[in-house]
Amino acid sequence: MAKGKDVRVNVILECTSCVRKNGNKESRGISRYITQKNRRNTPNRLELKKFCPYCYKYTIHGEIKK
C-alpha cells in the first residue's frame, strides 16, 4: 500500500529580513527553522512569525525550496 505523495512534508523556513540584509553583509547569518506542513490544508507557501537570533526580533520566516 504505497502512496504516491505524502500528505505531511518537511519544509524549511528562512528569515526574510536576514536574506535581504545578507547581500549587504550586515547580518552575521541566516535564521532557518524546520517544520512540517499538510499539503492538503496549505497548498501555498508557508509563512510564520518566528524569532530570529541574528536580527534579535520576531520576523516573518518564509518557506524555501529544498
Side-chain angles (χ1 to χ4, degrees), residues 44-60:
N44 304 352
R45 292 257 172 141
L46 191 62
E47 285 190 344
L48 296 173
K49 273 191 116 176
K50 303 286 261 178
F51 182 77
C52 178
Y54 302 108
C55 299
Y56 300 110
K57 59 184 176 182
Y58 284 89
T59 59
I60 296 177

Side-chain angles (χ1 to χ4, degrees), residues 28-44:
R28 294 185 316 221
I30 298 174
S31 172
R32 289 188 175 164
Y33 287 93
I34 298 174
T35 186
Q36 290 184 341
K37 80 169 187 177
N38 190 328
R39 271 199 196 144
R40 290 185 189 154
N41 295 342
T42 54
N44 304 352

